Amino acid sequence: MFEKELKKLKNKNLVRQIISRATTQGPTISIKGKKYLNFSSNDYLGLANHPEIIKAVIKAVERYGFGSGASRLIAGGGILHERLERQVSRFKGTESALVFNSGYSANTGVIPAIASERDAIFSDELNHASIIDGCRLSRAETLIYRHKDVFHLKELMTKAKGRRKIVITDTVFSMGGDIAPLREIYNTCLAFKEENQKKDTILFYIDDAHGTGVLGNGKGGLSHFNIRPEPWIIQMGTFSKAMGSFGAFVASSKDIIEWISNTARSFIFSTALPSCVVSASITALRLVKTDHSLLRRLWTNRERLIKGIRDAGYDIMESKTPIVPLRTRTIEEALRLSGSLYRKGIYVPAIRPPAVKEPRIRITVSAAHTEKHIDFLVDTLKGIR
Ligand SMILES: Cc1ncc(COP(=O)(O)O)c(C=O)c1O
């Protein structure tokens, strides 16, 4: 079964391998008994293995056990879930928030909850796969606008007059490291709202998975652009990236969150996160709010990396964040670069279709990398160019 299909993938160099770490997630990892410098994880602040998070998890396991046994609506969740939701809504400046089991399940649950076949969704062409799947599940007409092209977005919105419009974008694009023009998109939504004078005509949904903990002093995309968290904006984000934990959230007005908790199927029909995981996210959120040295180190490391890579003559596309792609002309070239780095003891994955249209290697830098780690990567990249 699937032999022919697999062979076709192999012939196109598109078969991917699962890589299994034998160590904690961090700037150095071990794979198959060999040590590698790791520039592949989304653990931007280096929290995945932070001692305070480990301590909080152990304490929560001792107090609440491990398995949660049921969904939130039938007592699977606990008081820590509620505490995290209160803290997220305060952090994001909204009335309310809801925890989801993952970013994937948030996008595939929330989008169908807020959009139906009568509505129109406007989605950036490079939005994350979980948004694409959420749009498909919603059965709404989905109009795809060119990447970060607000003029194209406006043009499409004008064509969908009279329907509820849901505009959806990643804040930081996960494979390019570039930032969506949230201010211009927000202004466009506002102009349509004012024109229609109806409160519920427009919803603006941002996927802040890679912005939370990284942009706007850690508060995320809206804060970065100084946009007020209006009740018609829905902020989705994850605990699985800069927060070094697991799970996700949506934050918005009280009514919207109550509606989502009653209608998002991935929330209703799925077992709640274990309390110890929630406790990790609570601790991570506290660290993001109080330990500003984490973000300072992250951005200093990013500057050092970018300067070195630019000097080496690589094309970093439109990266503005700790996600730094190096664009290659072909899939083979991406594989060659990734393979050469691997042989020199550095793990940086090649990213190929269908994850992206244009092949690249994707470097991610974190607060936990040292100057030595970064310089070794840059020197090696210079040597294999
Ligand atoms: C932009 C974006 N949204 C959603 C997700 C899904 O999040 P999670 O890994 O928590 O399921 C990811 C992660 O891959 C992502 O990059």
Side-chain angles (χ1 to χ4, degrees):
M1 287 262 268
F2 294 107
E3 258 171 65
K4 268 193 212 148
E5 288 87 342
L6 267 172
K7 204 161 169 206
K8 261 192 216 160
L9 274 189
K10 277 182 192 150
N11 290 341
K12 290 188 203 158
N13 268 332
L14 290 179
V15 167
R16 294 185 270 193
Q17 304 292 337
I18 294 174
I19 309 278
S20 303
R21 244 185 315 113
T23 48
T24 53
Q25 181 61 277
T28 56
I29 53 174
S30 141
I31 302 168
K32 291 186 186 154
K34 200 176 156 206
K35 199 172 153 192
Y36 292 89
L37 256 185
N38 180 24
F39 284 94
S40 71
S41 110
N42 302 316
D43 177 27
Y44 305 117
L45 297 176
L47 293 181
N49 198 28
H50 193 285
E52 287 190 40
I53 292 183
I54 308 288
K55 221 163 67 190
V57 169
I58 292 170
K59 203 168 144 201
V61 170
E62 283 169 356
R63 184 151 187 187
Y64 301 103
F66 185 71
S68 59
S71 74
R72 290 288 297 288
L73 294 177
I74 34 184
I79 51 172
L80 292 189
H81 294 70
E82 273 191 28
R83 187 178 305 161
L84 178 59
E85 285 165 350
R86 277 196 304 276
Q87 291 178 355
V88 166
S89 64
R90 227 175 292 139
F91 188 57
K92 291 286 183 180
T94 60
E95 281 178 352
S96 193
L98 188 67
V99 168
F100 274 77
N101 289 359
S102 71
Y104 188 88
S105 91
N107 281 336
T108 51
V110 176
I111 297 170
I114 57 170
S116 71
E117 50 275 73
R118 294 181 301 281
D119 304 324
I121 294 177
F122 304 87
S123 178
D124 187 291
E125 67 175 324
L126 296 190
N127 275 344
H128 190 258
S130 53
I131 293 179
I132 297 171
D133 295 353
C135 293
R136 286 179 183 150
L137 282 170
S138 76
R139 300 201 184 100
E141 184 185 5
T142 302
L143 297 114
I144 309 293
Y145 61 91
R146 287 188 292 273
H147 185 46
K148 297 189 294 187
D149 185 338
V150 183
F151 287 107
H152 192 210
L153 168 64
K154 262 186 220 167
E155 205 179 295
L156 294 177
M157 284 175 83
T158 310
K159 283 186 192 154
K161 271 221 157 83
R163 282 190 282 166
R164 179 193 286 172
K165 299 173 186 53
I166 300 107
V167 179
I168 306 182
T169 185
D170 286 1
T171 59
V172 174
F173 291 90
S174 56
M175 294 297 143
D178 50 336
I179 301 176
L182 293 189
R183 167 61 64 185
E184 284 90 341
I185 299 176
Y186 168 84
N187 286 344
T188 304
C189 291
L190 209 56
F192 271 85
K193 260 184 101 55
E194 279 165 9
E195 215 174 275
N196 289 298
Q197 297 295 317
K198 258 202 202 158
K199 253 169 79 188
D200 64 355
T201 318
I202 306 270
L203 286 172
F204 183 22
Y205 183 98
I206 62 167
D207 176 334
D208 213 8
H210 297 272
T212 299
V214 172
L215 296 181
N217 283 327
K219 279 192 165 183
L222 286 193
S223 208
H224 177 80
F225 285 97
N226 223 353
I227 298 171
R228 256 207 340 227
E230 311 271 4
W232 47 276
I233 300 179
I234 300 173
Q235 302 177 67
M236 172 270 176
T238 59
F239 301 113
S240 51
K241 297 179 170 58
M243 301 280 190
S245 176
F246 190 75
F249 63 84
V250 281
S252 189
S253 71
K254 193 168 157 290
D255 287 350
I256 287 180
I257 295 301
E258 193 172 353
W259 173 255
I260 290 170
S261 68
N262 278 278
T263 53
R265 293 168 67 82
S266 65
F267 176 79
I268 300 170
F269 299 108
S270 193
T271 300
L273 284 177
S275 288
C276 61
V277 174
V278 176
S279 146
S281 301
I282 290 173
T283 310
L285 191 55
R286 177 172 56 74
L287 288 168
V288 168
K289 285 195 280 195
T290 54
D291 186 354
H292 303 296
S293 70
L294 294 168
L295 257 179
R296 261 200 312 275
R297 274 210 305 278
L298 172 63
W299 286 100
T300 306
N301 280 349
R302 190 216 175 245
E303 287 320 305
R304 190 177 188 91
L305 174 71
I306 292 294
K307 189 178 172 311
I309 287 177
R310 282 229 175 90
D311 288 349
Y314 284 94
D315 170 8
I316 63 161
M317 304 177 77
E318 291 176 39
S319 165
K320 296 272 186 302
T321 62
I323 302 168
V324 184
L326 304 190
R327 177 161 36 200
T328 60
R329 278 192 306 276
T330 60
I331 292 172
E332 289 68 32
E333 175 68 357
L335 290 172
R336 183 189 72 77
L337 281 181
S338 172
S340 302
L341 289 170
Y342 197 71
R343 280 188 292 282
K344 307 248 179 212
I346 304 174
Y347 180 54
V348 175
I351 312 288
R352 300 163 272 172
V356 289
K357 275 194 230 156
E358 299 170 292
R360 68 200 66 179
I361 61 170
R362 177 184 185 261
I363 299 169
T364 45
V365 68
S366 89
H369 286 114
T370 63
E371 289 184 354
K372 239 171 139 181
H373 292 151
I374 295 166
D375 294 348
F376 184 64
L377 170 65
V378 168
D379 289 344
T380 311
L381 280 168
K382 282 180 184 160
I384 59 172
R385 182 142 171 76

